[in-house]
Amino acid sequence: MIQTSLKSASLKPTRVVVLISGSGSNLQALIDSCHAGELPIELVAVISNRADVLGLTRAQDANIPTAVLDHKNFADRETFDRALMQKIDSYQPDLVVLAGFMRILLATFTQHYEGRMFNIHPSLLPKFQGLHTHQRALDAGEKHHGVTVHFVTAELDGGPAIVQASVPIVAGDDAKSLAKRVQQQEHIIYPLAVKWFAEGKLKMIEGKTQLKGELLPAAGVQIHSDTL
Ligand code: GAR
């Protein structure tokens, strides 16, 4: 009896809320991995701070509940963050996934989800925090560029890394071609990180990332791609 209930408890899918602001291609990668039976998660809601974005259509097409909280309708960041927290918590998530969610979140918010919120950022952090990362990598004459999945902390794009994928920068690249190559990697490593978490293999402990019981180096698991 006890064994049965323990077993069924461990089979409970991880409840995931995804926050978006735009096209939702990373959301789509998670949806596709779920449909392929590769992720032991349930996508319980997609929340956007913008109406009329493609990501919401992707969610609706996959029968995932959606909500829009337009930041422009709130007096200040505190009020928006509080409303967003309440909305997220109404879905009782185990994990919150920022997938192209382009709002700065205050410390009260990030602390509330400490150890259970991921972000994906299009650079090899700690390089190029913030915006326009592809152009900045080109301007800096980098040989490689890439993407990082990390736990979210109060420091913008500064939480402990989980996994990084790098791609070569090649002659003739512009920000668009480089972004495309990086995004192909995003769609591989985001489902991978979510899978590790859902399988109970990934934790944030004292500001560091632990995977399968081992502390990871500061840059997380490294994936190198020579895909052009
Ligand atoms: C992704 O490239 C993601 O890395 C980036 O926004 C894009 C969203 O694309 N995130 C950031 O810049 C966060 N600082 P998507 O909506 O198609 O997933």
Side-chain angles (χ1 to χ4, degrees):
M1 235 4 217
I2 292 168
Q3 266 185 344
T4 310
S5 60
L6 279 178
K7 193 155 187 258
S8 56
S10 71
L11 288 177
K12 220 172 116 207
T14 298
R15 295 173 65 81
V16 178
V17 167
V18 182
L19 304 193
I20 61 165
S21 300
S23 101
S25 69
N26 280 286
L27 165 67
Q28 189 66 54
L30 293 172
I31 293 170
D32 292 346
S33 292
C34 279
H35 287 171
E38 292 161 1
L39 280 182
I41 67 167
E42 184 182 354
L43 291 164
V44 290
V46 171
I47 304 174
S48 174
N49 66 314
R50 293 182 190 280
D52 301 325
V53 291
L54 177 58
L56 287 169
T57 310
R58 294 182 195 267
Q60 283 148 10
D61 287 349
N63 293 316
I64 302 166
T66 58
V68 176
L69 253 79
D70 188 336
H71 58 278
K72 293 195 287 303
N73 295 337
F74 294 84
D76 50 32
R77 276 190 199 280
E78 282 82 2
T79 325
F80 173 70
D81 276 17
R82 211 174 313 125
L84 183 57
M85 232 188 288
Q86 275 173 7
K87 179 54 87 179
I88 293 170
D89 288 349
S90 72
Y91 297 104
Q92 300 183 296
D94 302 302
L95 178 67
V96 178
V97 168
L98 308 184
F101 185 68
M102 304 305 276
R103 296 294 301 165
I104 291 173
L105 298 162
L106 297 173
T108 327
F109 187 100
T110 58
Q111 277 156 14
H112 181 65
Y113 298 106
E114 191 172 286
R116 53 191 184 109
M117 180 157 64
F118 293 173
N119 182 41
I120 190 157
H121 181 75
S123 78
L124 297 172
L125 290 171
K127 286 182 178 176
F128 310 119
Q129 294 164 324
L131 299 174
H132 311 301
T133 57
H134 309 300
Q135 190 59 52
R136 286 161 62 207
L138 290 167
D139 293 347
E142 297 285 334
K143 299 261 183 300
H144 287 86
H145 183 46
V147 54
T148 307
V149 174
H150 64 94
F151 282 106
V152 176
T153 61
E155 192 195 340
L156 180 67
D157 302 327
I162 298 165
V163 53
Q164 274 189 342
S166 72
V167 300
I169 292 180
V170 298
D173 257 338
D174 58 16
K176 200 171 163 204
S177 64
L178 189 51
K180 190 172 171 206
R181 196 173 314 121
V182 169
Q183 272 222 329
Q184 286 169 351
Q185 299 305 310
E186 296 189 11
H187 302 158
I188 296 169
I189 68 169
Y190 221 178
L192 183 61
V194 170
K195 181 169 184 280
W196 287 334
F197 185 90
E199 291 172 345
K201 295 175 180 166
L202 185 61
K203 293 187 170 46
M204 184 174 125
I205 294 176
E206 292 174 4
K208 295 196 164 67
T209 302
Q210 191 191 67
L211 179 64
K212 300 175 194 166
E214 304 278 339
L215 282 184
L216 294 182
V221 173
Q222 296 294 298
I223 294 176
H224 298 282
S225 158
D226 290 312
T227 317
L228 293 183

